[in-house]
Amino acid sequence: MPMRISKIYRKAVHPAQLISGLILSYALFFLLFFALLNKLYPLDIPVEYSTVVVSSDGHLLHAFLTSDDKWRMFIDSKEISGDLKKAIIFKEDKYFYRHPGINPLSLARALLNNIKEKRRTSGASTITMQVARMLEPKERNYRSKFIEIFRAFQLEQKLSKDEILQLYLNLVPYGGNVEGVKSASVIYFEKMPNHLSIAEITALSIIPNRPVSLKLGENNAYILEERNQWLRRFGAAGLFPGEAIRDALTEPLEATRHEVPHLAPQLCLRLKSSYPGEPVIQASIDLELQRKAERLVGSYSRRLYFQNIKNATALVVDNKTRRVLAYIGSADFDNAEDGGQVDGIQAIRSPGSTLKPLLYGLAMDLGIVTPKTVVYDVPISFSGYEPENYDDNYRGAITIEEALASSLNIPAVNILDKVGPDIMMESLSYAGFRQIKRERGQLGLSLILGGCGVRLEELVALYASFANEGEYEPLQLTQGEAHYQKKQILSAAASFMITEILTKLERPDLPVAWESSQHTPKIAWKTGTSYGRRDAWSIGYNHNYTIGVWLGNFSGEGVPDLSGSEKATPLLFQLFNAIDSDPEEAWFRMPDELDLRYVCSASGMLPGEYCTDDIIDYFIPGISDTRTCEHLKKILINPDSSLSYCTACKPEFGYIDAVYPNLPPEMISFYEESTIPYKKIPPHNPECERLLTGSDPKITSPIHENDYFVNILDSSEIMLSCQTSNDVQEVFWYINKKYYDKCKADEKLFFLPNEGKVEISCSDDKGRNSSVWITVKYTSF
C-alpha cells in the first residue's frame, strides 16, 4: 500500500507538469495584467504628418511643416520598395516578422552585458520598440524600457507587422527637423522613396542610429564609409545580388539639403484647407504642364511689370474630365509687395464682356436670335440705363455674330432685355457663379457688361461647358474627387453656334501682333476688359482644353493700356501653343439638332417679298424664329414723292407704289442725330382723317418714374425727347394733359415743371401717343 501511494505521489509532482503549470499560470497572469494595463493606459498614436500635395502621377508638388515645425511626410505602403524593407529589417531587426514585439534573447543578452559592463552597451530594441519610443520619447532608463516593452505589445496587438514597419519609416529621425524616410528622400535626394537606389537606401538606413553625427550634406564622407561597410554586410548576407552591391559601392554620395518643392502654391494651400488632417492629397495637376504654364505666366508677367500690370493668373482644364491640369494663382507667389500670395483663381473680379457668349446662347435656345439676326447698335435707353460701347462708337445695323465677335455692349444689353435678366442669372447660378447667386436680387441689365462679380475658375468651367455641347460640370481639383451630375445650360446647337462665332479671326480683339502670325492657335476664345481697365480676361477652348487668363493688379488699380485683347490674349495663345499646338482631335461637329437655311442678309429673317440678298444661316428647327423679313415696306406716294397715302386716303389715280426701309425708331433717331442720309417716308396726306397703326412714340427723356431735382435758383429745365417711326414728321408734347409745344420728330424741347408728380405725354402726327410720370423736387443747391 505505501509503495502504491508513493508512486501516485511521484507521478503527481512530475517536474515537466510543474513547469508547464507554472508557465500557464504566469502566462495567464501576464495576459490579465496586460489586459488591465491596456485598459488603464490605452495606446494612442497621435502622429501629425506634414500635409503633402502630389500631382496626378504622384510627383511632389508642395509640402507643409507640421505644427511643431517638422518635416514628417507620410510614406504610403506603395512607396515602400522591397529593397527598402529588406535593408531596414536586416539592419534593425532580423526577426521582426517572428517576434511578438520584443526579442527575449536580445533583451536577455543586452541586460547581461549592461550588468557586466556596469553601463549601457546595447539596447536590443526591436523595430516595434523603437516605434513605441518615438511615439512617447522618454529619458533612457530601465523604467522607460519597461514602458517601451508594454507599448510594443500594444502595437503588435493593434497593428499588423507591415503597419508597424510603415510607422517606423514615418517616424525615424534624420537630424534637425527631418523625420521619416520620405522626408529624408525628398529633402536630401529630391526623389520619392520608391525611386531610391540601393546605395541611397543604405545611407538612409544607417543615419537614424546617429542622426547628429551622421548628417547628410555635412558628414557625407563619414556617411559614405559607413554606408559601404553596410553594403558589404548586405552583400555577404546575400541580401542583394553581387552586381547590385558592386554598383552601389561605386555610387558617389552627393546628398545635400534641398528646398521642398512649392509648385502650385495657391492650389496646395487651398487643398490643405479643404482637406484638414489629410497627410497626402493627390491633386489633379499635371506636373509637366504645371511647370510649363508657371514658366510662361511668370516670364510674360515680368515683361508687363513695368507697364504697371503686376499680377497674372491662369487655369488649364481638361475638357473631357473637367480636371484642373495647371493652376497658377499668381505670377510670383514670393512677391509679397504686389500680393503674390493672393489666389487670383478665386478672387472676385468684374468679368467685363466674358459673359456675353452665354447670353447669346440662351437667346438662340429661346428662338430670339440666330447668328445672322440683325440687331441695332445705336444709342438707346432702358428706363434710364444708357449703355455705351467700349470705343464710344455706334455701328448701326449689325448681325449677332458681328456683335459678339466685336463684343459690342449695346446689342448685348438689348438682347439681355429680351431674354430677361432673371433667366440669365438663373443660368449663371446653375453654372456655379456663387457671387451672382448671392447678389441676384441687386443685379440688372448691367451684369452683361461686367456689373457683377465672378471668379476665373467659374468662367473657365462655363467655357468648358461650351466645349462639351453645353453640359456644365464643376471643375475637379483632386484625383479622387467624385464627378457631379452634369447640367445642361445650353443646347448642343447653341453651343456649336457660339463656338463658330468665337473661332473667327476677323475680329477687333485679335491682338495686333498675331494678325498675320502663322502660329495663331485654332481655338474659340472671348476677351473681356472691366470698367476702369482693372481686369483683362481671355478665355479660350478647343476639343481638349479650356484655358483662362486674367491680368491686372490685385490691388484693383486700373491701367490705361490694360485690355483683354492686347494683354491677356497673347498669353492665352502662348499657353495653347505650348500645351496643345497641334491637336489631333477634329474641330467641333455640327450637332444633328442644328440645320441650315436661307435668310435675308438685311434682317436675318426668312426672305420676304422685297428681299434680294439671301445668305445661309444656322437655325434650330422648331425653336428659331420663322417670321418673314419686313426690312422693307410698300408705301403709296404721289409722283413727286412729297406725300404718302394710306388705303383710306389714296386718290383714285396719280399715285405710285414705292418701297422704303422699315426702320425702328431708335435707328431713325440715330440716323438723324448722326446726319446719316437714309430714305425717308414722305409726310402723310394731311387731309387723311384715319388714325394710323404703328409704333407709338417712345419718350427717351425724361425717364419714367424717375425723381428729378430742379434748382429753383438757376431755373433748371428738363429735356423732352422721343424716338418715332419712319413715317412721323412732327410730335406734340403735353404736360399734365395740357398742350405744351410741338417740334420735329428728332428735335428736343425743354420745360420748367412744377414740383410734385408730373405727367408728360407725346403724340405723333399719326395720332399715336405715349406717356411717362416723373416726380419733381425743388432744391436750392
Side-chain angles (χ1 to χ4, degrees):
M1 187 72 173
M3 286 293 294
R4 186 177 179 186
I5 294 171
S6 176
K7 288 179 181 178
I8 293 173
Y9 179 77
R10 285 198 298 270
K11 185 177 181 182
V13 293
H14 195 281
Q17 289 181 328
L18 183 62
I19 293 171
S20 176
L22 287 172
I23 291 173
L24 286 173
S25 299
Y26 281 124
L28 181 61
F29 172 77
F30 175 80
L31 289 174
L32 291 173
F33 184 64
F34 175 77
L36 177 63
L37 289 177
N38 193 41
K39 188 76 173 177
L40 294 173
Y41 306 101
L43 177 66
D44 187 21
I45 309 178
V47 181
E48 180 194 358
Y49 292 103
S50 299
T51 298
V52 172
V53 184
V54 298
S55 64
S56 58
D57 58 354
H59 287 88
L60 185 63
L61 292 174
H62 206 99
F64 300 89
L65 288 165
T66 60
S67 59
D68 57 349
D69 292 328
K70 300 284 189 182
W71 288 116
R72 191 184 297 119
M73 302 180 194
F74 180 79
I75 185 169
D76 188 82
S77 58
K78 298 175 184 176
E79 297 173 311
I80 303 174
S81 66
D83 290 343
L84 175 61
K85 184 184 290 188
K86 284 192 294 185
I88 292 294
I89 291 174
F90 182 86
K91 181 180 179 300
E92 295 294 328
D93 189 357
K94 295 178 184 177
Y95 302 101
F96 173 67
Y97 282 102
R98 302 179 193 174
H99 61 62
I102 64 170
N103 188 329
L105 294 177
S106 297
L107 279 174
R109 184 179 64 251
L111 179 62
L112 292 174
N113 287 339
N114 292 344
I115 293 172
K116 181 180 178 181
E117 299 294 331
K118 297 183 180 180
R119 62 185 178 87
R120 180 178 176 275
T121 58
S122 61
S125 293
T126 62
I127 286 176
T128 311
M129 292 171 66
Q130 291 182 61
V131 170
R133 184 169 62 247
M134 288 185 287
L135 287 173
E136 296 180 1
K138 289 180 174 60
E139 185 181 350
R140 303 294 290 272
N141 53 40
Y142 288 111
R143 179 177 178 276
S144 298
K145 182 63 68 176
F146 282 118
I147 294 174
E148 281 178 28
I149 293 171
F150 169 63
R151 293 300 190 195
F153 284 130
Q154 286 183 305
L155 284 167
E156 293 281 344
Q157 182 192 41
K158 190 170 185 177
L159 304 177
S160 69
K161 284 290 187 180
D162 286 339
E163 288 172 332
I164 293 170
L165 178 62
Q166 182 181 9
L167 194 53
Y168 171 84
L169 295 174
N170 278 319
L171 298 176
V172 67
Y174 283 95
N177 67 340
V178 181
E179 293 183 4
V181 169
K182 185 171 183 175
S183 301
S185 176
V186 168
I187 291 172
Y188 293 113
F189 294 110
E190 294 186 300
K191 60 177 69 174
M192 301 302 267
N194 51 333
H195 295 148
L196 291 169
S197 67
I198 292 176
E200 291 164 339
I201 287 172
T202 306
L204 291 181
S205 71
I206 64 176
I207 292 172
N209 299 121
R210 290 177 287 171
V212 177
S213 60
L214 297 177
K215 198 166 185 179
L216 283 166
E218 296 181 11
N219 312 107
N220 282 5
Y222 185 31
I223 295 171
L224 184 66
E225 291 179 13
E226 292 287 316
R227 182 201 75 177
N228 288 347
Q229 286 182 20
W230 274 101
L231 281 171
R232 293 186 186 96
R233 292 178 190 173
F234 291 162
L239 200 65
F240 302 110
E243 185 178 350
I245 294 293
R246 287 190 293 273
D247 290 342
L249 286 167
T250 61
E251 184 176 314
L253 180 63
E254 298 175 345
T256 186
R257 182 155 184 159
H258 302 277
E259 287 292 324
V260 174
H262 57 279
L263 292 165
Q266 283 95 341
L267 171 64
C268 294
L269 282 165
R270 179 177 178 177
L271 292 176
K272 181 177 183 289
S273 176
S274 299
Y275 300 93
E278 283 290 325
V280 180
I281 304 170
Q282 188 168 26
S284 57
I285 294 298
D286 180 299
L287 179 62
E288 290 306 313
L289 199 153
Q290 174 73 23
R291 283 175 171 161
K292 192 179 294 184
E294 282 191 4
R295 285 195 297 269
L296 278 172
V297 173
S299 174
Y300 189 83
S301 183
R302 284 191 291 274
R303 296 200 297 271
L304 297 180
Y305 190 84
F306 293 103
Q307 298 178 37
N308 203 33
I309 303 170
K310 298 179 179 179
N311 301 112
T313 65
L315 195 66
V316 181
V317 170
D318 184 327
N319 285 336
K320 294 181 179 64
T321 64
R322 312 297 172 97
R323 297 195 185 281
V324 173
L325 303 180
Y327 189 113
I328 295 88
S330 66
D332 184 0
F333 184 81
D334 297 323
N335 180 5
E337 182 180 352
D338 297 309
Q341 295 181 10
V342 171
D343 186 355
I345 303 295
Q346 297 188 86
I348 300 173
R349 313 292 300 192
S350 167
S353 297
T354 54
L355 298 179
K356 289 175 181 174
L358 175 63
L359 169 65
Y360 286 113
L362 291 172
M364 291 170 179
D365 276 335
L366 292 171
I368 297 172
V369 299
T370 60
K372 299 296 184 183
T373 298
V374 172
V375 291
Y376 300 103
D377 179 35
V378 295
I380 191 170
S381 175
F382 298 91
S383 300
Y385 176 53
E386 300 178 358
E388 297 177 345
N389 288 324
Y390 61 90
D391 58 1
D392 294 326
N393 290 324
Y394 305 97
R395 291 153 183 81
I398 191 169
T399 64
I400 285 292
E401 62 183 4
E402 291 169 334
L404 177 54
S406 299
S407 198
L408 299 178
N409 292 340
I410 294 171
V413 176
N414 199 356
I415 295 300
L416 179 57
D417 187 54
K418 293 177 180 178
V419 169
D422 284 342
I423 292 177
M424 179 70 176
M425 285 186 281
E426 182 67 27
S427 295
L428 289 167
S429 300
Y430 201 57
F433 285 78
R434 289 167 282 169
Q435 193 71 11
I436 290 176
K437 184 177 183 179
R438 189 176 298 119
E439 298 179 348
R440 60 182 300 175
Q442 307 167 34
L443 302 176
L445 294 175
S446 65
L447 80 87
I448 198 60
L449 306 184
C452 57
V454 305
R455 297 169 174 83
L456 178 60
E457 62 185 1
E458 294 168 347
L459 286 172
V460 171
L462 174 66
Y463 279 67
S465 71
F466 299 157
N468 283 277
E469 297 188 327
E471 285 187 342
Y472 168 79
E473 187 178 352
L475 302 183
Q476 310 294 311
L477 296 176
T478 61
Q479 281 294 95
E481 199 166 344
H483 284 272
Y484 295 86
Q485 185 176 2
K486 296 179 180 179
K487 303 175 182 177
Q488 198 75 38
I489 60 171
L490 285 182
S491 69
S495 297
F496 178 81
M497 288 187 280
I498 292 300
T499 298
E500 287 294 283
I501 295 171
L502 297 182
T503 307
K504 296 181 182 297
L505 293 177
E506 299 80 20
R507 50 198 275 188
D509 62 348
L510 178 66
V512 174
W514 292 78
E515 287 180 354
S516 57
S517 174
Q518 296 180 345
H519 303 291
T520 303
K522 173 74 171 180
I523 60 171
W525 88 96
K526 180 74 184 73
T527 63
T529 306
S530 69
Y531 178 77
R533 297 187 178 270
R534 296 181 176 90
D535 309 276
W537 306 86
S538 194
I539 323 287
Y541 60 92
N542 60 14
H543 254 302
N544 298 324
Y545 304 102
T546 297
I547 302 177
V549 167
W550 173 90
L551 297 175
N553 293 305
F554 290 145
S555 65
E557 180 184 357
V559 181
D561 292 335
L562 185 66
S563 73
S565 59
E566 291 301 322
K567 300 303 181 185
T569 300
L571 177 56
L572 178 74
F573 286 179
Q574 288 180 28
L575 287 167
F576 264 107
N577 282 340
I579 293 168
D580 200 26
S581 60
D582 188 22
E584 297 180 0
E585 290 268 6
W587 194 241
F588 298 93
R589 185 185 66 83
M590 187 174 86
D592 294 336
E593 57 264 40
L594 190 63
D595 210 339
L596 297 168
R597 68 182 181 184
Y598 281 100
V599 296
C600 175
S601 64
S603 66
M605 309 298 288
L606 294 176
E609 180 181 0
Y610 304 110
C611 299
T612 58
D613 184 21
D614 296 346
I615 56 175
I616 296 176
D617 188 20
Y618 293 111
F619 79 107
I620 307 175
I623 294 177
S624 297
D625 198 339
T626 56
R627 289 178 297 168
T628 303
C629 175
E630 296 179 350
H631 81 285
L632 296 173
K633 63 180 179 180
K634 183 174 72 171
I635 302 293
L636 304 178
I637 61 173
N638 61 5
D640 63 359
S641 302
S642 60
L643 287 178
S644 62
Y645 304 107
C646 65
T647 55
C649 69
K650 69 177 181 178
E652 293 185 12
F653 52 85
Y655 66 88
I656 58 175
D657 291 343
V659 175
Y660 284 84
N662 187 18
L663 298 172
E666 60 267 24
M667 277 300 294
I668 296 170
S669 178
F670 171 67
Y671 286 151
E672 293 288 350
E673 291 182 8
S674 305
T675 63
I676 297 173
Y678 67 100
K679 191 175 181 181
K680 299 180 183 179
I681 298 175
H684 194 68
N685 179 13
E687 298 178 4
C688 179
E689 297 180 354
R690 181 182 177 187
L691 180 66
L692 297 180
T693 60
S695 299
D696 296 337
K698 181 180 180 182
I699 299 174
T700 56
S701 177
I703 306 303
H704 183 53
E705 294 185 344
N706 271 19
D707 293 343
Y708 287 82
F709 293 88
V710 175
N711 191 328
I712 58 176
L713 298 179
D714 60 8
S715 300
S716 300
E717 294 184 320
I718 295 177
M719 184 177 72
L720 300 173
S721 64
C722 67
Q723 295 177 345
T724 64
S725 298
N726 195 0
D727 56 352
V728 175
Q729 305 300 316
E730 286 185 318
V731 294
F732 306 88
W733 292 97
Y734 298 82
I735 309 297
N736 289 329
K737 301 189 183 302
K738 293 182 180 180
Y739 176 72
Y740 177 70
D741 203 351
K742 70 174 182 178
C743 63
K744 292 181 180 179
D746 60 334
E747 191 178 346
K748 296 176 177 61
L749 294 179
F750 293 87
F751 81 105
L752 181 62
N754 294 323
E755 192 171 18
K757 286 280 188 181
V758 180
E759 181 185 14
I760 295 107
S761 303
C762 179
S763 297
D764 62 23
D765 52 16
K766 303 298 180 291
R768 298 169 297 217
N769 61 78
S770 60
S771 299
V772 297
W773 285 86
I774 63 171
T775 300
V776 177
K777 299 178 181 179
Y778 285 168
T779 179
S780 58
F781 54 87

